[in-house]
Amino acid sequence: MNELDTLVEAARSAFAAAKTPAELENAKAQFLGKTGSITALMKGMAALSVEQKKSQGAAINLVKQGIEAALAERRQQLADVELDLQLRAEALDVSLPGRKRVPGGLHPVSRTMERIEAIFSSMGFDVADGPEIESDWHSFTSLNNPPNHPARSMQDTFYVDIEGEDGTPYNLRPHTSPMQVRYAHQHIKKHAAAFEAAAADSSGTLKAPEIRVIAPGRTYRVDSDATHSPMFHQCEGLWLGENVSFKDLKVVFTDFCRTFFETDDLVLRFRPSFFPFTEPSAEIDIQFQSGPLADRWLEVAGSGQVHPKVVRNMGLDPERYIGFAFGMGPDRLTMLRYGVNDLRLFFDGDLRFLSQFQ
Ligand code: DAH
């Protein structure tokens, strides 16, 4: 094999060693570039005779064509490899299982809230919403619980370091009871003409609109164990009119409990108690007559006849307006309804627990 023949072989193996297009261009320069072997051979022809130039020129051209063919072949190979890699990177595996969409659902306490709202709505109660960051006046003072009164220690309140719009400090409301006065003010303002007309009617035949409302929502206390959470729920109830009595409270609340728990096999007990905003006051206990909870008295709400001072703070005349209020714990009702014994489970956000209620 002469020098020219070995050159094609050398180029072929140099091209094969190039792993990228850039390396291939470098290898090409060694043979076909300005200082490459072929160029050097061409230059060497200057010293030859015309005859020699003819045959040597033809031979060099053949070699050059061989090297160019090897180069084109290797370029194509590298381009194929690159295309292949790209296709592989972009490949879609259509046999992979899809991402599951887990259907959402209502939290068990939200279900209870909706149930409470539906039942009281059917009895003609309005449903009201109010602020969770509440002024001291609404949370306590308006409810006949003045500053420094010992009854304030019944609730371990979270205080906020900001003054509310009425000049008293804010707190995270420890109960939904401030909604009694808040809602009464809104309601009286909305029906101002009717309230004024009733007040001006000395014969007493013109009745002012009643206030009949429930206010469900989140409440907060410095408290945490199996039956207390720093955030919990309450639902306030208020029915105020010219002739609303404790008897009405008994009827309404008994009806509510029987509908809520879907059984008539349930009795209520009104146990005397104390709350600053009611007089007289009572805890409401229920007792199932059958089933797993039978024969135990279970406390479900606080209640009472709205205190005259609270009625006055609503802007109404306590000689004329009378009624009842109650406050219950939807979390506890949910625990009783579903047989859950640790309140914290509701607020841990564990889907294995929560999805059981769907
Ligand atoms: N606010 C009371 C509490 O959180 C519950 C309560 C008791 C509400 C009696 C009332 C009521 O409206 O009349 O313990």
Side-chain angles (χ1 to χ4, degrees), residues 336-352:
L336 292 174
R337 180 152 189 253
Y338 295 115
V340 173
N341 55 16
D342 192 330
L343 175 70
R344 290 167 295 196
L345 286 168
F346 287 137
F347 308 125
D348 281 348
D350 187 338
L351 286 177
R352 289 170 303 178

mmCIF file with all atom_site columns, all heavy atoms in Angstrom, residues 336-352:
data_model
loop_
_atom_site.group_PDB
_atom_site.id
_atom_site.type_symbol
_atom_site.label_atom_id
_atom_site.label_alt_id
_atom_site.label_comp_id
_atom_site.label_asym_id
_atom_site.label_entity_id
_atom_site.label_seq_id
_atom_site.pdbx_PDB_ins_code
_atom_site.Cartn_x
_atom_site.Cartn_y
_atom_site.Cartn_z
_atom_site.occupancy
_atom_site.B_iso_or_equiv
_atom_site.pdbx_formal_charge
_atom_site.auth_seq_id
_atom_site.auth_comp_id
_atom_site.auth_asym_id
_atom_site.auth_atom_id
_atom_site.pdbx_PDB_model_num
ATOM 1   N N   . LEU A 1 336 ? -70.111 13.402 68.366 1.00 0.00 ? 336 LEU A N   1
ATOM 2   C CA  . LEU A 1 336 ? -71.213 12.536 68.807 1.00 0.00 ? 336 LEU A CA  1
ATOM 3   C C   . LEU A 1 336 ? -71.866 11.836 67.626 1.00 0.00 ? 336 LEU A C   1
ATOM 4   O O   . LEU A 1 336 ? -72.156 10.638 67.672 1.00 0.00 ? 336 LEU A O   1
ATOM 5   C CB  . LEU A 1 336 ? -72.267 13.356 69.567 1.00 0.00 ? 336 LEU A CB  1
ATOM 6   C CG  . LEU A 1 336 ? -71.832 13.917 70.925 1.00 0.00 ? 336 LEU A CG  1
ATOM 7   C CD1 . LEU A 1 336 ? -72.913 14.826 71.494 1.00 0.00 ? 336 LEU A CD1 1
ATOM 8   C CD2 . LEU A 1 336 ? -71.533 12.779 71.908 1.00 0.00 ? 336 LEU A CD2 1
ATOM 9   N N   . ARG A 1 337 ? -72.040 12.570 66.556 1.00 0.00 ? 337 ARG A N   1
ATOM 10  C CA  . ARG A 1 337 ? -72.760 11.992 65.405 1.00 0.00 ? 337 ARG A CA  1
ATOM 11  C C   . ARG A 1 337 ? -71.956 10.871 64.764 1.00 0.00 ? 337 ARG A C   1
ATOM 12  O O   . ARG A 1 337 ? -72.513 9.865  64.323 1.00 0.00 ? 337 ARG A O   1
ATOM 13  C CB  . ARG A 1 337 ? -73.043 13.097 64.388 1.00 0.00 ? 337 ARG A CB  1
ATOM 14  C CG  . ARG A 1 337 ? -73.777 12.618 63.160 1.00 0.00 ? 337 ARG A CG  1
ATOM 15  C CD  . ARG A 1 337 ? -74.627 13.694 62.531 1.00 0.00 ? 337 ARG A CD  1
ATOM 16  N NE  . ARG A 1 337 ? -75.449 13.104 61.490 1.00 0.00 ? 337 ARG A NE  1
ATOM 17  C CZ  . ARG A 1 337 ? -75.231 13.280 60.189 1.00 0.00 ? 337 ARG A CZ  1
ATOM 18  N NH1 . ARG A 1 337 ? -74.265 14.071 59.789 1.00 0.00 ? 337 ARG A NH1 1
ATOM 19  N NH2 . ARG A 1 337 ? -75.991 12.678 59.304 1.00 0.00 ? 337 ARG A NH2 1
ATOM 20  N N   . TYR A 1 338 ? -70.620 11.049 64.696 1.00 0.00 ? 338 TYR A N   1
ATOM 21  C CA  . TYR A 1 338 ? -69.796 10.043 64.015 1.00 0.00 ? 338 TYR A CA  1
ATOM 22  C C   . TYR A 1 338 ? -69.035 9.113  64.971 1.00 0.00 ? 338 TYR A C   1
ATOM 23  O O   . TYR A 1 338 ? -68.271 8.260  64.523 1.00 0.00 ? 338 TYR A O   1
ATOM 24  C CB  . TYR A 1 338 ? -68.785 10.736 63.102 1.00 0.00 ? 338 TYR A CB  1
ATOM 25  C CG  . TYR A 1 338 ? -69.418 11.496 61.945 1.00 0.00 ? 338 TYR A CG  1
ATOM 26  C CD1 . TYR A 1 338 ? -69.312 12.872 61.864 1.00 0.00 ? 338 TYR A CD1 1
ATOM 27  C CD2 . TYR A 1 338 ? -70.108 10.816 60.942 1.00 0.00 ? 338 TYR A CD2 1
ATOM 28  C CE1 . TYR A 1 338 ? -69.881 13.578 60.810 1.00 0.00 ? 338 TYR A CE1 1
ATOM 29  C CE2 . TYR A 1 338 ? -70.685 11.511 59.889 1.00 0.00 ? 338 TYR A CE2 1
ATOM 30  C CZ  . TYR A 1 338 ? -70.573 12.886 59.825 1.00 0.00 ? 338 TYR A CZ  1
ATOM 31  O OH  . TYR A 1 338 ? -71.129 13.572 58.790 1.00 0.00 ? 338 TYR A OH  1
ATOM 32  N N   . GLY A 1 339 ? -69.179 9.330  66.283 1.00 0.00 ? 339 GLY A N   1
ATOM 33  C CA  . GLY A 1 339 ? -68.478 8.465  67.235 1.00 0.00 ? 339 GLY A CA  1
ATOM 34  C C   . GLY A 1 339 ? -66.968 8.677  67.236 1.00 0.00 ? 339 GLY A C   1
ATOM 35  O O   . GLY A 1 339 ? -66.190 7.715  67.324 1.00 0.00 ? 339 GLY A O   1
ATOM 36  N N   . VAL A 1 340 ? -66.522 9.923  67.147 1.00 0.00 ? 340 VAL A N   1
ATOM 37  C CA  . VAL A 1 340 ? -65.084 10.237 67.182 1.00 0.00 ? 340 VAL A CA  1
ATOM 38  C C   . VAL A 1 340 ? -64.749 10.695 68.597 1.00 0.00 ? 340 VAL A C   1
ATOM 39  O O   . VAL A 1 340 ? -65.491 11.482 69.191 1.00 0.00 ? 340 VAL A O   1
ATOM 40  C CB  . VAL A 1 340 ? -64.770 11.368 66.169 1.00 0.00 ? 340 VAL A CB  1
ATOM 41  C CG1 . VAL A 1 340 ? -63.335 11.836 66.290 1.00 0.00 ? 340 VAL A CG1 1
ATOM 42  C CG2 . VAL A 1 340 ? -65.071 10.894 64.752 1.00 0.00 ? 340 VAL A CG2 1
ATOM 43  N N   . ASN A 1 341 ? -63.630 10.191 69.176 1.00 0.00 ? 341 ASN A N   1
ATOM 44  C CA  . ASN A 1 341 ? -63.366 10.559 70.571 1.00 0.00 ? 341 ASN A CA  1
ATOM 45  C C   . ASN A 1 341 ? -62.206 11.527 70.771 1.00 0.00 ? 341 ASN A C   1
ATOM 46  O O   . ASN A 1 341 ? -61.884 11.889 71.895 1.00 0.00 ? 341 ASN A O   1
ATOM 47  C CB  . ASN A 1 341 ? -63.167 9.297  71.419 1.00 0.00 ? 341 ASN A CB  1
ATOM 48  C CG  . ASN A 1 341 ? -62.069 8.416  70.839 1.00 0.00 ? 341 ASN A CG  1
ATOM 49  O OD1 . ASN A 1 341 ? -61.283 8.890  70.009 1.00 0.00 ? 341 ASN A OD1 1
ATOM 50  N ND2 . ASN A 1 341 ? -62.008 7.171  71.248 1.00 0.00 ? 341 ASN A ND2 1
ATOM 51  N N   . ASP A 1 342 ? -61.528 11.926 69.690 1.00 0.00 ? 342 ASP A N   1
ATOM 52  C CA  . ASP A 1 342 ? -60.462 12.921 69.840 1.00 0.00 ? 342 ASP A CA  1
ATOM 53  C C   . ASP A 1 342 ? -60.679 14.060 68.847 1.00 0.00 ? 342 ASP A C   1
ATOM 54  O O   . ASP A 1 342 ? -60.571 13.873 67.636 1.00 0.00 ? 342 ASP A O   1
ATOM 55  C CB  . ASP A 1 342 ? -59.083 12.275 69.620 1.00 0.00 ? 342 ASP A CB  1
ATOM 56  C CG  . ASP A 1 342 ? -57.945 13.192 70.057 1.00 0.00 ? 342 ASP A CG  1
ATOM 57  O OD1 . ASP A 1 342 ? -58.101 14.427 69.981 1.00 0.00 ? 342 ASP A OD1 1
ATOM 58  O OD2 . ASP A 1 342 ? -56.897 12.665 70.483 1.00 0.00 ? 342 ASP A OD2 1
ATOM 59  N N   . LEU A 1 343 ? -60.968 15.225 69.403 1.00 0.00 ? 343 LEU A N   1
ATOM 60  C CA  . LEU A 1 343 ? -61.293 16.402 68.588 1.00 0.00 ? 343 LEU A CA  1
ATOM 61  C C   . LEU A 1 343 ? -60.162 16.788 67.642 1.00 0.00 ? 343 LEU A C   1
ATOM 62  O O   . LEU A 1 343 ? -60.396 17.255 66.526 1.00 0.00 ? 343 LEU A O   1
ATOM 63  C CB  . LEU A 1 343 ? -61.581 17.568 69.548 1.00 0.00 ? 343 LEU A CB  1
ATOM 64  C CG  . LEU A 1 343 ? -61.834 18.942 68.937 1.00 0.00 ? 343 LEU A CG  1
ATOM 65  C CD1 . LEU A 1 343 ? -63.156 18.959 68.216 1.00 0.00 ? 343 LEU A CD1 1
ATOM 66  C CD2 . LEU A 1 343 ? -61.824 20.017 70.009 1.00 0.00 ? 343 LEU A CD2 1
ATOM 67  N N   . ARG A 1 344 ? -58.905 16.555 68.098 1.00 0.00 ? 344 ARG A N   1
ATOM 68  C CA  . ARG A 1 344 ? -57.752 16.998 67.310 1.00 0.00 ? 344 ARG A CA  1
ATOM 69  C C   . ARG A 1 344 ? -57.682 16.337 65.942 1.00 0.00 ? 344 ARG A C   1
ATOM 70  O O   . ARG A 1 344 ? -57.117 16.887 65.007 1.00 0.00 ? 344 ARG A O   1
ATOM 71  C CB  . ARG A 1 344 ? -56.462 16.759 68.103 1.00 0.00 ? 344 ARG A CB  1
ATOM 72  C CG  . ARG A 1 344 ? -56.354 17.695 69.302 1.00 0.00 ? 344 ARG A CG  1
ATOM 73  C CD  . ARG A 1 344 ? -55.275 17.295 70.255 1.00 0.00 ? 344 ARG A CD  1
ATOM 74  N NE  . ARG A 1 344 ? -55.561 16.000 70.884 1.00 0.00 ? 344 ARG A NE  1
ATOM 75  C CZ  . ARG A 1 344 ? -54.938 15.566 71.966 1.00 0.00 ? 344 ARG A CZ  1
ATOM 76  N NH1 . ARG A 1 344 ? -54.015 16.297 72.535 1.00 0.00 ? 344 ARG A NH1 1
ATOM 77  N NH2 . ARG A 1 344 ? -55.229 14.384 72.484 1.00 0.00 ? 344 ARG A NH2 1
ATOM 78  N N   . LEU A 1 345 ? -58.277 15.128 65.841 1.00 0.00 ? 345 LEU A N   1
ATOM 79  C CA  . LEU A 1 345 ? -58.270 14.415 64.554 1.00 0.00 ? 345 LEU A CA  1
ATOM 80  C C   . LEU A 1 345 ? -58.899 15.257 63.448 1.00 0.00 ? 345 LEU A C   1
ATOM 81  O O   . LEU A 1 345 ? -58.501 15.187 62.289 1.00 0.00 ? 345 LEU A O   1
ATOM 82  C CB  . LEU A 1 345 ? -59.051 13.098 64.680 1.00 0.00 ? 345 LEU A CB  1
ATOM 83  C CG  . LEU A 1 345 ? -58.360 11.981 65.454 1.00 0.00 ? 345 LEU A CG  1
ATOM 84  C CD1 . LEU A 1 345 ? -59.357 10.870 65.750 1.00 0.00 ? 345 LEU A CD1 1
ATOM 85  C CD2 . LEU A 1 345 ? -57.180 11.444 64.671 1.00 0.00 ? 345 LEU A CD2 1
ATOM 86  N N   . PHE A 1 346 ? -59.883 16.068 63.810 1.00 0.00 ? 346 PHE A N   1
ATOM 87  C CA  . PHE A 1 346 ? -60.579 16.878 62.805 1.00 0.00 ? 346 PHE A CA  1
ATOM 88  C C   . PHE A 1 346 ? -59.675 17.928 62.180 1.00 0.00 ? 346 PHE A C   1
ATOM 89  O O   . PHE A 1 346 ? -59.893 18.356 61.060 1.00 0.00 ? 346 PHE A O   1
ATOM 90  C CB  . PHE A 1 346 ? -61.789 17.598 63.426 1.00 0.00 ? 346 PHE A CB  1
ATOM 91  C CG  . PHE A 1 346 ? -62.951 16.692 63.725 1.00 0.00 ? 346 PHE A CG  1
ATOM 92  C CD1 . PHE A 1 346 ? -63.645 16.793 64.912 1.00 0.00 ? 346 PHE A CD1 1
ATOM 93  C CD2 . PHE A 1 346 ? -63.360 15.739 62.795 1.00 0.00 ? 346 PHE A CD2 1
ATOM 94  C CE1 . PHE A 1 346 ? -64.725 15.967 65.190 1.00 0.00 ? 346 PHE A CE1 1
ATOM 95  C CE2 . PHE A 1 346 ? -64.437 14.902 63.055 1.00 0.00 ? 346 PHE A CE2 1
ATOM 96  C CZ  . PHE A 1 346 ? -65.123 15.026 64.258 1.00 0.00 ? 346 PHE A CZ  1
ATOM 97  N N   . PHE A 1 347 ? -58.663 18.369 62.959 1.00 0.00 ? 347 PHE A N   1
ATOM 98  C CA  . PHE A 1 347 ? -57.877 19.511 62.490 1.00 0.00 ? 347 PHE A CA  1
ATOM 99  C C   . PHE A 1 347 ? -56.441 19.146 62.122 1.00 0.00 ? 347 PHE A C   1
ATOM 100 O O   . PHE A 1 347 ? -55.631 20.025 61.858 1.00 0.00 ? 347 PHE A O   1
ATOM 101 C CB  . PHE A 1 347 ? -57.924 20.630 63.542 1.00 0.00 ? 347 PHE A CB  1
ATOM 102 C CG  . PHE A 1 347 ? -59.334 20.963 63.954 1.00 0.00 ? 347 PHE A CG  1
ATOM 103 C CD1 . PHE A 1 347 ? -59.728 20.932 65.277 1.00 0.00 ? 347 PHE A CD1 1
ATOM 104 C CD2 . PHE A 1 347 ? -60.281 21.280 62.986 1.00 0.00 ? 347 PHE A CD2 1
ATOM 105 C CE1 . PHE A 1 347 ? -61.048 21.218 65.644 1.00 0.00 ? 347 PHE A CE1 1
ATOM 106 C CE2 . PHE A 1 347 ? -61.597 21.566 63.336 1.00 0.00 ? 347 PHE A CE2 1
ATOM 107 C CZ  . PHE A 1 347 ? -61.974 21.532 64.667 1.00 0.00 ? 347 PHE A CZ  1
ATOM 108 N N   . ASP A 1 348 ? -56.100 17.839 62.117 1.00 0.00 ? 348 ASP A N   1
ATOM 109 C CA  . ASP A 1 348 ? -54.751 17.405 61.732 1.00 0.00 ? 348 ASP A CA  1
ATOM 110 C C   . ASP A 1 348 ? -54.569 17.375 60.217 1.00 0.00 ? 348 ASP A C   1
ATOM 111 O O   . ASP A 1 348 ? -53.453 17.293 59.725 1.00 0.00 ? 348 ASP A O   1
ATOM 112 C CB  . ASP A 1 348 ? -54.469 15.989 62.270 1.00 0.00 ? 348 ASP A CB  1
ATOM 113 C CG  . ASP A 1 348 ? -54.107 16.019 63.745 1.00 0.00 ? 348 ASP A CG  1
ATOM 114 O OD1 . ASP A 1 348 ? -53.868 17.123 64.255 1.00 0.00 ? 348 ASP A OD1 1
ATOM 115 O OD2 . ASP A 1 348 ? -54.071 14.939 64.370 1.00 0.00 ? 348 ASP A OD2 1
ATOM 116 N N   . GLY A 1 349 ? -55.670 17.373 59.488 1.00 0.00 ? 349 GLY A N   1
ATOM 117 C CA  . GLY A 1 349 ? -55.582 17.356 58.025 1.00 0.00 ? 349 GLY A CA  1
ATOM 118 C C   . GLY A 1 349 ? -55.111 16.023 57.470 1.00 0.00 ? 349 GLY A C   1
ATOM 119 O O   . GLY A 1 349 ? -54.517 15.975 56.397 1.00 0.00 ? 349 GLY A O   1
ATOM 120 N N   . ASP A 1 350 ? -55.335 14.919 58.185 1.00 0.00 ? 350 ASP A N   1
ATOM 121 C CA  . ASP A 1 350 ? -54.932 13.601 57.695 1.00 0.00 ? 350 ASP A CA  1
ATOM 122 C C   . ASP A 1 350 ? -56.064 13.027 56.819 1.00 0.00 ? 350 ASP A C   1
ATOM 123 O O   . ASP A 1 350 ? -57.143 12.706 57.320 1.00 0.00 ? 350 ASP A O   1
ATOM 124 C CB  . ASP A 1 350 ? -54.660 12.676 58.887 1.00 0.00 ? 350 ASP A CB  1
ATOM 125 C CG  . ASP A 1 350 ? -54.076 11.342 58.453 1.00 0.00 ? 350 ASP A CG  1
ATOM 126 O OD1 . ASP A 1 350 ? -54.266 10.953 57.276 1.00 0.00 ? 350 ASP A OD1 1
ATOM 127 O OD2 . ASP A 1 350 ? -53.420 10.692 59.282 1.00 0.00 ? 350 ASP A OD2 1
ATOM 128 N N   . LEU A 1 351 ? -55.757 12.880 55.513 1.00 0.00 ? 351 LEU A N   1
ATOM 129 C CA  . LEU A 1 351 ? -56.806 12.449 54.582 1.00 0.00 ? 351 LEU A CA  1
ATOM 130 C C   . LEU A 1 351 ? -57.310 11.042 54.861 1.00 0.00 ? 351 LEU A C   1
ATOM 131 O O   . LEU A 1 351 ? -58.441 10.710 54.542 1.00 0.00 ? 351 LEU A O   1
ATOM 132 C CB  . LEU A 1 351 ? -56.312 12.556 53.145 1.00 0.00 ? 351 LEU A CB  1
ATOM 133 C CG  . LEU A 1 351 ? -56.224 13.991 52.611 1.00 0.00 ? 351 LEU A CG  1
ATOM 134 C CD1 . LEU A 1 351 ? -55.654 14.001 51.203 1.00 0.00 ? 351 LEU A CD1 1
ATOM 135 C CD2 . LEU A 1 351 ? -57.604 14.649 52.624 1.00 0.00 ? 351 LEU A CD2 1
ATOM 136 N N   . ARG A 1 352 ? -56.442 10.201 55.476 1.00 0.00 ? 352 ARG A N   1
ATOM 137 C CA  . ARG A 1 352 ? -56.900 8.831  55.780 1.00 0.00 ? 352 ARG A CA  1
ATOM 138 C C   . ARG A 1 352 ? -58.074 8.883  56.750 1.00 0.00 ? 352 ARG A C   1
ATOM 139 O O   . ARG A 1 352 ? -58.994 8.088  56.693 1.00 0.00 ? 352 ARG A O   1
ATOM 140 C CB  . ARG A 1 352 ? -55.760 8.018  56.405 1.00 0.00 ? 352 ARG A CB  1
ATOM 141 C CG  . ARG A 1 352 ? -54.669 7.675  55.417 1.00 0.00 ? 352 ARG A CG  1
ATOM 142 C CD  . ARG A 1 352 ? -53.491 7.093  56.129 1.00 0.00 ? 352 ARG A CD  1
ATOM 143 N NE  . ARG A 1 352 ? -53.001 8.022  57.147 1.00 0.00 ? 352 ARG A NE  1
ATOM 144 C CZ  . ARG A 1 352 ? -52.000 7.771  57.966 1.00 0.00 ? 352 ARG A CZ  1
ATOM 145 N NH1 . ARG A 1 352 ? -51.377 6.608  57.919 1.00 0.00 ? 352 ARG A NH1 1
ATOM 146 N NH2 . ARG A 1 352 ? -51.596 8.658  58.846 1.00 0.00 ? 352 ARG A NH2 1
#
